[in-house]
Amino acid sequence: TQKKMESDSQIKFDVPSREQMSENNLPVYDAIVDSVGFMPNLFATLGLSDNGLNRYITLQNGTSALTNKEKEAINLVVSEVNNCNYCRAAHTTIGKMNGFTEAEALEIRSGKASFNKKLNALIKLSQDIVQTRGKINAKYLEIFFNEGYDKGQLIDVIIQVGEKTITNYLHNITQIPIDFPEVPQL
């Protein structure tokens, strides 16, 4: 059996300051502060890599056929499956900025959206992708396509799952402080 490591790591991670960023990360760091008003701790932590922040933000800001609301639904359910407290908190806040209520965000985290059939299909598929490591139950893909999504959107879902998994793993490993309003466990 595998022993699960929660936050009992002997290695402590501090959130790096702007002065600790590489030249490659500084333009992105400054752009985030200008647009968001602060530097989220998890993004700053990506700056521990000389190219990490720039590389991640380029991926995150890439063009997608998915709406921001659909991407946030994926972010919420993926963060729940991956048990990432930081991303659950951040994406509950961002999800509300994109039109979800607190109750809807909680329901999405639980793996469903009773309030929207098409979104429900997206959430079920996304949850299954993470839980099965991509060896999905074909019924979820069939429901996804039956709700009007296409193969190109499937690729965008997979990219979104991968993008969110990066930050989920980053926080689960570093356990840097959460700087968004914390949300309840399910």
Side-chain angles (χ1 to χ4, degrees), residues 55-74:
R55 186 172 175 196
Y56 179 79
I57 295 299
T58 299
L59 174 63
Q60 184 185 54
N61 290 341
T63 304
S64 174
L66 301 172
T67 67
N68 286 339
K69 198 167 189 175
E70 288 169 324
K71 290 190 286 187
E72 285 311 313
I74 294 167

Side-chain angles (χ1 to χ4, degrees), residues 10 14 17 27 33 36 42 54 63 75 92 114 148 156 169 172 186:
Q10 300 297 343
D14 294 316
S17 66
V33 172
V36 180
L42 199 62
N54 185 39
T63 304
N75 292 342
T92 296
S114 62
D156 285 340
Y169 287 4
N172 287 348
L186 292 184

Side-chain angles (χ1 to χ4, degrees), residues 6-23:
E6 208 49 51
S7 59
D8 56 340
S9 171
Q10 300 297 343
I11 300 171
K12 171 108 171 74
F13 288 86
D14 294 316
V15 179
S17 66
R18 185 185 186 283
E19 294 70 39
Q20 294 171 293
M21 295 291 135
S22 70
E23 288 296 317

Side-chain angles (χ1 to χ4, degrees), residues 139-178:
K139 78 176 181 183
Y140 294 120
L141 191 58
E142 185 179 332
I143 294 167
F144 176 80
F145 289 139
N146 286 342
E147 283 301 320
Y149 289 105
D150 62 30
K151 290 177 181 174
Q153 288 166 312
L154 171 64
I155 301 305
D156 285 340
V157 168
I158 295 165
I159 291 168
Q160 189 66 34
V161 166
E163 182 245 293
K164 191 44 43 205
T165 299
I166 292 167
T167 53
N168 291 167
Y169 287 4
L170 179 64
H171 186 262
N172 287 348
I173 291 167
T174 64
Q175 292 294 305
I176 53 101
I178 299 170

